[in-house]
């Protein structure tokens, strides 16, 4: 009897495998001249990320063969999406460029990609569920609400961003670069990340934030705001923001060390909670170190190893006038 698709299907069913499993490859491809009706192989690529993801096995990878806009996508399994060395993009005028709604055991990796919200999209990346989201060499711009939203509604989420740039057209006053929304909390690691031009650079509502070797600049409000949770900033530059570093919740904690805090309206503000500072350079801010505008005030703890000069002209009261700076 000649081998037919019907015979193949019967063999799959006998083995307990769904037909869809046979169509999924561990590596698939997209191209600006592809077609989503294709199998997404290298010689017959798909046109969009969304077209390729259904044909890619969990744990697999989708790569871009050439420059192109490959459309918004929702990721529901552990997978890698990579633009490689070409200009692979997602341009979206509404919603999210990438929505991550994976299982709690899934790791999702996004690499070498441009995401543009055209000033009307909501989020460049909307991270809703999964074990870990890893971003490498990603540029996100012109999002209407936030560059990256982390919404840990049912479980703690993990985000690692390396060599990532976030910027905006600056048309909406409430835009946030990275917003860790209220919920179960998140562990956020930022390495060599640039955040520029938002109302708030990084907002942590619950969880742990670790920032190193990064630039957060020209944000009209806070560069970093810890409302609830713990943050650590080291070897970074916070410049030309409304406030460089602020804690706003009673249990919020932030440590800042070996960083340049220059040219902000306020450098360090502990509106509530605690900020510890060590071995920083605080120059040319309008207010250097404040424990808040009104009581009960926060606490700033310093080792005394910080360097400061020309922090004058601000409207925020210095800690010395409302609360002491504790040496620890």
């Amino acid at each position: 009897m000649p081998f037919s698709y019907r015979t193949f299907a019967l063999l799959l069913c006998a083995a307990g495998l769904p037909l869809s499993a046979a169509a999924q490859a561990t590596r698939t491809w997209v191209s600006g001249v592809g077609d989503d009706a294709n199998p997404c192989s290298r010689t017959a690529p798909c046109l969009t990320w969304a077209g390729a993801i259904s044909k890619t096995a969990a744990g697999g990878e989708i790569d871009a063969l050439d420059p192109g806009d490959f459309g918004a996508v929702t990721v529901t399994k552990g997978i890698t999406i990579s633009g490689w060395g070409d200009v692979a993009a997602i341009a979206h005028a509404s919603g999210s460029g990438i929505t991550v709604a994976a299982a709690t055991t899934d790791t999702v990796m996004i690499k070498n990609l441009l995401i543009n919200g055209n000033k009307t999209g909501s989020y460049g990346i909307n991270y809703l569920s999964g074990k870990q989201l890893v971003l490498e060499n990603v540029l996100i711009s012109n999002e209407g609400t936030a560059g990256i939203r982390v919404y840990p509604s049912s479980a703690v989420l993990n985000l690692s961003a390396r060599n990532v740039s976030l910027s905006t057209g600056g048309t909406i006053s409430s835009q946030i670069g990275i917003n860790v929304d209220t919920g179960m909390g998140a562990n956020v690691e930022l390495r060599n990340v640039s955040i520029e031009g938002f109302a708030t650079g990084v907002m942590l509502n619950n969880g742990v934030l670790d920032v190193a070797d990064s630039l957060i600049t020209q944000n009209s409000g806070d560069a970093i705001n810890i409302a609830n949770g713990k943050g650590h900033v080291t070897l970074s530059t916070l410049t030309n923001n409304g406030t460089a570093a602020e804690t706003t919740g009673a249990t919020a904690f932030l440590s800042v060390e070996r960083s340049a805090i220059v040219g902000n309206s306020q450098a360090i503000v502990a509106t509530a909670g605690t900020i510890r500072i060590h071995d920083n350079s605080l120059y040319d801010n309008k207010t250097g170190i404040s424990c808040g505008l009104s009581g009960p005030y926060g606490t700033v703890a310093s080792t005394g190893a910080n360097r400061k000069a020309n922090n004058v002209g601000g409207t925020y009261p210095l800690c010395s006038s409302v609360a002491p700076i504790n040496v620890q």
Side-chain angles (χ1 to χ4, degrees):
M1 181 179 67
F3 190 82
S4 65
Y5 179 79
R6 183 174 181 274
T7 304
F8 180 56
L10 289 173
L11 289 172
L12 284 175
C13 292
L17 295 172
L19 293 177
S20 59
Q24 292 188 332
T26 56
R27 193 171 192 182
T28 56
W29 306 83
V30 294
S31 168
V33 293
D35 189 324
D36 283 345
N38 288 339
C40 304
S41 64
R42 201 177 196 285
T43 55
C46 285
L47 179 63
T48 67
W49 303 119
I53 199 167
S54 63
K55 300 173 185 177
T56 309
E61 179 170 336
I62 308 171
D63 294 315
L65 281 170
D66 48 44
D69 173 11
F70 302 113
V73 62
T74 296
V75 180
T76 58
K77 55 190 171 185
I79 205 166
T80 296
I81 294 177
S82 177
W84 282 98
D86 293 309
V87 184
I90 293 174
H92 63 109
S94 62
S96 302
I98 297 177
T99 299
V100 179
T104 55
T105 55
D106 289 336
T107 294
V108 176
M109 179 172 285
I110 310 296
K111 303 189 298 182
N112 310 315
L113 192 62
L114 309 180
I115 304 174
N116 191 325
N118 295 306
K119 300 185 180 179
T120 55
S122 296
Y123 307 108
I125 297 175
N126 193 13
Y127 182 19
L128 304 177
S129 61
K131 179 182 178 181
Q132 185 176 30
L133 173 61
V134 179
L135 308 177
E136 291 185 357
N137 304 319
V138 176
L139 190 154
I140 301 173
S141 62
N142 297 319
E143 299 296 338
T145 303
I148 300 171
R149 181 201 191 200
V150 182
Y151 185 37
S153 60
S154 58
V156 175
L157 299 179
N158 300 293
L159 170 66
S160 178
R162 307 160 191 161
N163 302 319
V164 171
S165 175
L166 300 104
S167 61
T168 182
T171 57
I172 300 176
S173 61
S174 60
Q175 290 163 321
I176 302 174
I178 299 175
N179 182 24
V180 180
D181 217 327
T182 55
M184 301 294 291
N187 300 309
V188 178
E189 173 200 9
L190 307 181
R191 294 291 183 272
N192 192 27
V193 171
S194 172
I195 303 174
E196 180 178 354
F198 294 88
T200 302
V202 182
M203 183 77 193
L204 181 71
N205 285 289
N206 192 14
V208 178
L209 172 69
D210 184 14
V211 182
D213 300 303
S214 294
L215 169 67
I216 307 180
T217 183
Q218 299 178 33
N219 300 284
S220 60
D222 293 341
I224 296 174
N225 186 319
I226 309 296
N228 184 33
K230 298 180 179 180
H232 176 231
V233 179
T234 186
L235 296 170
S236 295
T237 300
L238 312 177
T239 180
N240 296 322
N241 302 285
T243 298
E246 182 174 12
T247 50
T248 55
T251 61
F253 170 82
L254 176 62
S255 66
V256 184
E257 61 178 338
R258 292 182 292 170
S259 294
I261 305 172
V262 179
N264 305 281
S265 292
Q266 294 79 230
I268 302 292
V269 179
T271 296
T274 300
I275 300 179
R276 291 195 178 113
I277 54 176
H278 167 70
D279 198 21
N280 299 292
S281 297
L282 294 88
Y283 299 133
D284 301 314
N285 306 284
K286 291 182 179 179
T287 299
I289 302 170
S290 174
C291 292
L293 286 168
S294 60
Y297 306 112
T299 299
V300 176
S302 171
T303 62
N306 300 284
R307 298 160 298 281
K308 59 187 182 71
N310 199 34
N311 300 295
V312 296
T315 59
Y316 276 57
L318 301 178
C319 287
S320 58
S321 64
V322 293
I325 299 177
N326 296 329
V327 178
Q328 297 183 349

